[in-house]
Amino acid sequence: MTCIVGLINDGSVHIGGDSAGVAGYSLTVRADRKIFRNNDFVFGFTSSFRMGQLLAHSFKPPKRHPDTDVYTFMVTDFINALRQCLKDGGYAERHHEAERGGTFLVGYAGRLFKIAGDYQVGESADDFDACGCGEQIALGALLASPNSLPRERLTIALQAAERFSAGVRSPFHFETLGPPHSQVPSK
């Protein structure tokens, strides 16, 4: 249970997320964040805190060769490194000969991708995306707020998801990954 939201604005990728940890009918507001940076990437995860821990602390994103298309890089080198990290960390599972991971948003090179449990790489035609149990609510809020500033749009989407989904809770956390020449830490 979760709500992770992301959007692209002027070459920057903005991601926000909630703090809920849900197991059945139990909810814990977690101190560890679902949103973080790892080198040239910004992540926001759902599915499992273990997967998020591996992405934040064990995953070594590969470097993209400048001649390689960003999408091609994501579906090949990035996913191959991700699969190995999740296997090594004991998270990847096999069901009926198919390997499964988890779901997360990742921003890279001014683009926003959604990685699904079957390791597919999705890229929305919109300038935003979401995942988790609050996904549909958040997507509606993002669609309805195109003239707001990025942080405000993400906050509106997360507040809507918290209001209408039992699995979403504040506090909300945010990260921005700007173009290489404008990298500054988010507050």
Side-chain angles (χ1 to χ4, degrees):
M1 305 306 209
T2 285
C3 189
I4 303 297
V5 292
L7 62 85
I8 302 164
N9 182 267
D10 291 333
S12 295
V13 180
H14 306 264
I15 293 184
D18 77 319
S19 296
V22 178
Y25 289 114
S26 298
L27 181 138
T28 301
V29 175
R30 301 275 301 235
D32 46 337
R33 296 180 180 203
K34 301 175 191 176
I35 307 297
F36 54 87
R37 290 184 192 197
N38 184 338
N39 293 321
D40 297 333
F41 299 82
V42 61
F43 291 85
F45 69 89
T46 184
S47 301
S48 165
F49 278 91
R50 177 61 180 154
M51 181 191 68
Q53 292 163 352
L54 292 169
L55 290 173
H57 304 292
S58 294
F59 184 51
K60 305 291 184 235
K63 295 289 183 192
R64 179 177 61 91
H65 188 278
D67 294 336
T68 303
D69 171 72
V70 172
Y71 185 77
T72 300
F73 165 77
M74 292 299 293
V75 300
T76 57
D77 298 340
F78 180 87
I79 291 297
N80 290 337
L82 169 68
R83 288 180 61 220
Q84 191 61 54
C85 174
L86 296 182
K87 280 187 226 177
D88 291 348
Y91 180 72
E93 297 178 356
R94 292 192 68 80
H95 295 288
H96 305 292
E97 299 306 313
E99 185 180 313
R100 304 282 306 171
T103 303
F104 59 92
L105 296 183
V106 58
Y108 172 69
R111 293 168 70 178
L112 180 65
F113 302 96
K114 183 191 289 186
I115 310 302
D118 64 355
Y119 299 109
Q120 72 165 289
V121 177
E123 187 172 20
S124 176
D126 295 308
D127 65 351
F128 56 86
D129 209 341
C131 60
C133 67
E135 175 179 345
Q136 295 300 312
I137 300 162
L139 289 171
L142 288 167
L143 180 67
S145 62
N147 298 320
S148 298
L149 295 172
R151 175 69 64 91
E152 184 179 2
R153 285 181 80 191
L154 297 178
T155 300
I156 290 167
L158 290 167
Q159 287 173 336
E162 181 180 40
R163 175 76 168 110
F164 296 105
S165 174
V168 179
R169 288 295 181 277
S170 56
F172 305 130
H173 303 284
F174 305 90
E175 284 286 344
T176 297
L177 187 66
H181 63 277
S182 69
Q183 294 282 334
V184 293
S186 63
K187 298 183 176 55

